[in-house]
Amino acid sequence: MSTPAPLGVSAPVPDAVSGGASARVSGGASEAVSAPVHTVAVLALPGVVAFDLGVPCQVFASAYSPGGTPLYRVLVCGPGEVTATAVGVACFRLSPGHPLADAASADTVVVPGLTRDAPEVTPEVLDVLRTAARRGARVLSICTGAFVLAAAGLLDGRRATTHWRMTGELARAYPLVEVEAKALYVDTGQILTSAGVAAGLDLCVHVVLNDHGPAVAANVARGVVMAPEREGGQAQFVRHPSPAPGGADLGPTLRWAREHMHLPLTLADIARQANTSVRNLNRRFQDQVGTTPLRWLLRARVDRARELLESTNLPVERVAERCGFGSPASFRARFAQRAGVSPSAYRAAFRFRENARGNVQDVP
């Protein structure tokens, strides 16, 4: 396939509101803004997948403190002009705004996915990743970017994932890597990997959550119109994305459970509503939702609690009651386990922003 010629004259564009020129594409305009403390270097390598490249730029550049200060400085780094692709089709040429060497000194380095026919990653790229890791930098991969991390030796002895179509190949090519074929993303501390396409969004929002808490992460998630959090252990894909035949679709059951989450629902209650056995219910949830019924219900309850904490003045005890937690103590423990902070701290983090917009309601 021939590579398309660049359109017009390349000009620098800003780091998607994050500071400094990150890349050169046609028709952009430069703008200087102050650089936040934490630098994220996103590698633009030959054969880079356009979506995977854009995800970390968008997510990290969208993270702001309650006072409006950007929390990350995003740099697109690479060895020179590259062609970005989508589904294997060359889309446009991109000139990274920063040399590859700048990534070695970044706080976080992100390696987006590459196409199957991408050129072999150069020793220079692997050296930059090793140097960054030795310095203690956090290193992320999106989709097939895991192969680059594995080639650099950063995944040896670690758990990791990649796109489900490529997990077998990753395991065969790098037997020292413990490949988790079904995970959306795997966080081992310094080194993090994600599955394909949208899982990169999940991983980047997960990083923002760990860095700056659930309020900032939820605001970023709203900005990119996605769920605030999907667990890394959730399955990469489900077998029945559309209604299953023969009345086996869980859609009505999920709606019923959300409407009745204030009740002390059990597996037997949900199975009865779905007109099936508990064993079959578990199987259908794994197939269609990618997790177990009780883990889904807990996530739905916490998500509803987040909504109430953000948008109402209900006491924490009333929020716990409306969301089906057995007691305020149980609610606080479960909420903190999933959100990383207490319900009161979560509400306080939103209060600064939401009160200014007049979005907090008094609910009886």
Side-chain angles (χ1 to χ4, degrees):
M1 180 178 300
S2 60
T3 302
L7 301 176
V9 179
S10 293
V13 296
D15 284 339
V17 200
S18 67
S22 86
R24 301 171 69 86
V25 294
S26 64
S30 62
E31 176 185 355
V33 293
S34 58
V37 175
H38 191 107
T39 298
V40 177
V42 184
L43 301 192
L45 304 178
V48 67
V49 176
F51 184 89
D52 294 0
L53 177 66
V55 161
C57 297
Q58 182 71 35
V59 170
F60 291 113
S62 299
Y64 284 80
S65 71
T69 302
L71 297 171
Y72 300 95
R73 177 178 179 236
V74 182
L75 311 177
V76 176
C77 302
E81 187 176 82
V82 299
T83 299
T85 69
V87 199
V89 178
C91 293
F92 54 84
R93 288 181 180 173
L94 171 77
S95 293
H98 299 268
L100 180 64
D102 283 5
S105 58
D107 302 296
T108 294
V109 180
V110 184
V111 182
L114 306 177
T115 59
R116 274 186 172 275
D117 58 354
E120 186 175 352
V121 176
T122 64
E124 181 186 11
V125 172
L126 303 181
D127 287 343
V128 164
L129 291 172
R130 293 175 187 130
T131 299
R134 281 195 297 268
R135 286 182 41 256
R138 179 171 53 198
V139 183
L140 283 63
S141 69
I142 297 175
C143 196
T144 54
F147 284 82
V148 182
L149 269 55
L154 301 186
L155 299 184
D156 289 355
R158 293 181 183 270
R159 295 179 297 112
T161 193
T162 187
H163 193 288
W164 60 270
R165 287 196 177 100
M166 305 296 289
T167 52
E169 184 173 332
L170 181 63
R172 288 189 296 272
Y174 299 97
L176 295 181
V177 181
E178 184 182 339
V179 178
E180 296 200 1
K182 294 183 178 181
L184 284 176
Y185 58 84
V186 175
D187 181 350
T188 65
Q190 183 186 8
I191 311 295
L192 303 89
T193 55
S194 73
V197 196
L201 277 167
D202 293 300
L203 177 60
C204 291
V205 172
H206 168 77
V207 169
V208 174
L209 174 67
N210 286 346
D211 285 354
H212 299 289
V216 172
N219 197 44
V220 169
R222 278 197 294 267
V224 296
V225 196
M226 63 173 287
E229 179 189 7
R230 287 197 297 171
E231 290 181 332
Q234 184 171 326
Q236 286 193 29
F237 65 96
V238 297
R239 296 193 181 101
H240 303 293
S242 57
D249 176 35
L250 282 174
T253 301
L254 300 182
R255 288 191 293 273
W256 175 86
R258 287 192 182 96
E259 293 168 359
H260 295 81
M261 67 168 59
H262 60 285
L263 301 174
L265 300 179
T266 65
L267 269 176
D269 294 330
I270 301 173
R272 190 178 305 112
Q273 174 64 26
N275 194 30
T276 189
S277 66
V278 168
R279 180 177 179 179
N280 194 44
L281 179 74
N282 276 302
R283 181 186 59 77
R284 284 164 57 182
F285 257 79
Q286 288 290 354
D287 286 348
Q288 299 182 40
V289 185
T291 189
T292 67
L294 293 184
R295 290 183 74 176
W296 174 87
L297 181 60
L298 174 60
R299 185 166 66 240
R301 282 172 164 160
V302 171
D303 287 346
R304 177 57 179 154
R306 281 171 162 155
E307 293 174 5
L308 293 175
L309 291 169
E310 292 175 27
S311 61
T312 76
N313 286 315
L314 282 173
V316 169
E317 292 75 14
R318 293 290 304 281
V319 173
E321 178 184 336
R322 289 197 175 192
C323 297
F325 291 94
S327 66
S330 172
F331 169 51
R332 290 186 177 95
R334 292 289 192 174
F335 189 91
Q337 182 182 30
R338 286 194 56 82
V341 293
S342 69
S344 297
Y346 184 87
R347 168 173 276 167
F350 274 95
R351 194 63 49 165
F352 174 89
R353 184 169 58 251
E354 300 297 339
N355 274 340
R357 293 204 296 255
N359 290 341
V360 177
Q361 308 169 22
D362 289 310
V363 177

